Amino acid sequence: MQPRSAAAAGTDFPYTSRTTCYIEISEDGTVSHGTDSGTYERARSGKSTLYAVWPGEWSSHLFVIDDLDEYARAHGLVHDEKRTGLADHEHTVRWSLDPSETKPLGSYITIRVHLDCGCSIQDLGTFAGQMREQRGWDIATTGGWGGSSTSGTYMRARRKSLGT
């Protein structure tokens, strides 16, 4: 049986689904799993081949990861403005305490963020990384987040990292 092509599925392939399992087979036959930058670099250099098992409704399917650039963009190893909504620049950011915040003195607080630079947050992990690097903010990436273009995007952030 030949594995299917992940590239043939295009952007519909679930690169970041929690149920997608990655298998790396090195040129000496060693088998490992994971999605770190080392996995990407080894596969890109031809030192290994990367596969993914994608569970279906009645059976699982094996795919060869034959578009490593798409894999890297999906996992944030290479910046993808289209996927994240965030340009790779210094963001112009305003924030305010969310009206729903009930513990404004807590370690983490809910804030509303407005990006005046024209970007839109479509990937919280990428935004959190950029804000950590640019402003020293500690944004929680495990909780809920969302918002609208008029009221901003709400998220949880460590109060002290915001300078409050």
Side-chain angles (χ1 to χ4, degrees):
M1 174 182 135
Q2 290 291 340
R4 296 176 181 186
S5 165
T11 55
D12 291 333
F13 188 82
Y15 288 99
T16 58
S17 171
R18 292 182 314 179
T19 59
T20 301
C21 176
Y22 288 96
I23 302 164
E24 179 184 7
I25 302 177
S26 68
E27 53 192 2
D28 70 359
T30 304
V31 177
S32 58
H33 63 88
T35 58
D36 62 10
S37 60
T39 302
Y40 168 67
E41 290 302 326
R42 288 186 298 276
R44 192 167 173 238
S45 69
K47 293 180 179 174
S48 67
T49 304
L50 189 57
Y51 296 91
V53 178
W54 181 12
E57 187 174 353
W58 305 108
S59 65
S60 295
H61 304 283
L62 179 64
F63 289 82
V64 62
I65 304 301
D66 48 356
D67 186 344
L68 292 168
D69 293 332
E70 187 64 27
Y71 166 86
R73 286 189 294 273
H75 285 282
L77 301 172
V78 173
H79 183 71
D80 183 4
E81 184 174 341
K82 183 178 173 186
R83 184 176 266 118
T84 64
L86 300 163
D88 194 13
H89 66 198
E90 189 83 21
H91 296 292
T92 307
V93 182
R94 288 181 291 124
W95 71 273
S96 60
L97 193 62
D98 189 83
S100 69
E101 179 59 62
T102 59
K103 296 181 181 178
L105 298 178
S107 296
Y108 276 83
I109 57 174
T110 303
I111 61 171
R112 289 276 171 173
V113 173
H114 299 270
L115 296 177
D116 295 331
C117 56
C119 292
S120 66
I121 304 166
Q122 296 174 24
D123 182 299
L124 184 60
T126 300
F127 179 71
Q130 288 178 339
M131 288 297 93
R132 186 176 309 107
E133 184 178 303
Q134 293 174 15
R135 295 185 173 226
W137 289 8
D138 185 8
I139 296 173
T141 57
T142 57
W145 66 286
S148 71
S149 58
T150 56
S151 63
T153 303
Y154 66 85
M155 63 193 66
R156 304 277 298 161
R158 185 176 297 277
R159 187 170 56 87
K160 285 190 174 195
S161 71
L162 296 169
T164 63

